[in-house]
């Protein structure tokens, strides 16, 4: 069965960076785009960007260009997202998702809660 | 970017009742996707390509619509359907989500 297992919660200081992981299993990792989605507390969902593991090609929401960096390690079927120059606005839950039928997000990781606080 | 406006924002239904959630797009989209998110959990895909049921989703859920107006219907409300529902489009970049509809059980 398809699973996306994300790394644990992070408490980081303003101005710092954080890198989170998303380990895929149950499918061929290089065949599907992986997207990252932000959910601020009690709010809706924002698409950050996507990466194609086979080639490393990426696309970003303009809002997150310069904020998020997406990479993959094909040898471990793991996708990574690094967020830089963190502020309180970056405190949120971050999900990795697999892009499925049509333009949907058919499988989601359990989410990583990032708290930015001094 | 395309803005998706959901209505109602919050609603409640009794077991067995029919529920309809609407999603209006600021520009025409070719398809709509629907997700269910229960408290403390990740979103779950319910409907893809406007009206196709995702794997394992009960057939009391259905989707319809075209252009700028789409809807998600729960034919007979069950207690386990209490959740927040989001619509999503990717007809143009970036993909966007609606603001959510919180559905409670009466």
């Amino acid at each position: 069965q398809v699973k996306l297992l994300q790394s644990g919660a992070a408490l980081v200081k303003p101005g710092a960076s954080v890198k989170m992981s998303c380990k895929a299993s149950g499918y061929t990792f290089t065949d599907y785009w992986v997207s990252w989605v932000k959910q601020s507390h009690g709010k809706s969902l924002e698409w950050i960007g996507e990466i194609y593991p086979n080639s490393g090609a990426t696309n970003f929401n303009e809002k997150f260009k310069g904020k998020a960096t997406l990479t993959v390690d094909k040898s471990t079927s793991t996708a990574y997202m690094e967020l830089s120059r963190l502020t309180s606005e970056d405190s949120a839950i971050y999900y990795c998702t697999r892009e499925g039928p049509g333009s949907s997000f058919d499988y989601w990781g359990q989410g990583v809660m990032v708290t930015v606080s001094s | 970017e395309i803005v998706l406006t959901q209505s109602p924002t919050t609603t409640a239904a009794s077991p067995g009742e029919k529920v309809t959630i609407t999603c209006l797009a600021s520009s025409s989209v070719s398809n709509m996707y629907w997700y269910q998110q229960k408290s403390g959990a990740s979103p779950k895909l319910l409907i893809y390509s406007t009206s196709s049921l995702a794997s394992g989703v009960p057939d009391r859920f259905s989707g319809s619509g075209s252009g700028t107006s789409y809807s998600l219907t729960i034919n007979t409300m069950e207690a386990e359907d209490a959740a927040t529902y989001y619509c999503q489009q990717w007809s143009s970049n970036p993909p966007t989500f609606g603001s959510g509809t919180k559905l409670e059980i009466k």
Side-chain angles (χ1 to χ4, degrees):
Chain A
Q1 66 283 30
V2 174
K3 288 187 178 179
L4 298 173
L5 182 62
Q6 297 187 245
S7 47
L11 172 61
V12 291
K13 295 188 186 308
S17 298
V18 66
K19 189 173 185 177
M20 61 192 76
S21 64
C22 171
K23 183 172 176 59
S25 61
Y27 72 98
T28 302
F29 180 60
T30 49
D31 284 352
Y32 295 81
W33 288 81
V34 172
S35 269
W36 291 83
V37 174
K38 176 183 181 182
Q39 186 168 38
S40 301
H41 180 66
K43 294 189 178 179
S44 187
L45 304 154
E46 286 185 281
W47 182 76
I48 296 169
E50 61 179 348
I51 185 165
Y52 189 55
N54 197 33
S55 64
T58 56
N59 296 298
F60 287 93
N61 185 332
E62 284 291 329
K63 179 178 176 179
F64 292 95
K65 283 184 178 177
K67 169 64 68 176
T69 301
L70 304 181
T71 56
V72 296
D73 180 344
K74 289 191 284 186
S75 70
T76 60
S77 298
T78 303
Y80 298 91
M81 179 172 71
E82 183 170 19
L83 300 172
S84 60
R85 299 183 302 278
L86 292 167
T87 72
S88 59
E89 294 297 306
D90 298 313
S91 293
I93 297 174
Y94 293 88
Y95 295 100
C96 63
T97 77
R98 190 185 81 162
E99 295 178 21
S103 301
S104 67
F105 304 110
D106 62 350
Y107 289 94
W108 296 64
Q110 82 276 20
V112 173
M113 181 176 290
V114 173
T115 303
V116 182
S117 174
S118 54
Chain B
E1 68 179 46
I2 293 178
V3 175
L4 302 179
T5 303
Q6 289 185 231
S7 62
T9 303
T10 306
T11 189
S14 302
E17 192 175 340
K18 184 176 183 178
V19 177
T20 299
I21 297 168
T22 297
C23 180
L24 297 181
S26 59
S27 298
S28 182
V29 299
S30 55
N31 276 299
M32 194 63 71
Y33 304 83
W34 292 92
Y35 301 84
Q36 175 194 67
Q37 186 176 33
K38 296 186 177 180
S39 182
S42 306
K44 171 188 172 184
L45 177 66
L46 291 178
I47 302 285
Y48 65 95
S49 300
T50 300
S51 58
S52 297
L53 222 55
S55 176
V57 175
D59 61 6
R60 64 180 179 273
F61 289 91
S62 64
S64 64
S66 64
T68 60
S69 181
Y70 291 82
S71 63
L72 170 71
T73 298
I74 306 173
N75 212 34
T76 49
M77 175 75 179
E78 295 195 8
E80 65 182 26
D81 300 334
T84 299
Y85 293 83
Y86 296 96
C87 55
Q88 173 246 318
Q89 68 79 30
W90 204 343
S91 290
S92 70
N93 281 315
T96 51
F97 294 85
S99 52
T101 294
K102 186 173 184 179
L103 173 61
E104 298 172 332
I105 188 81
K106 280 185 188 173

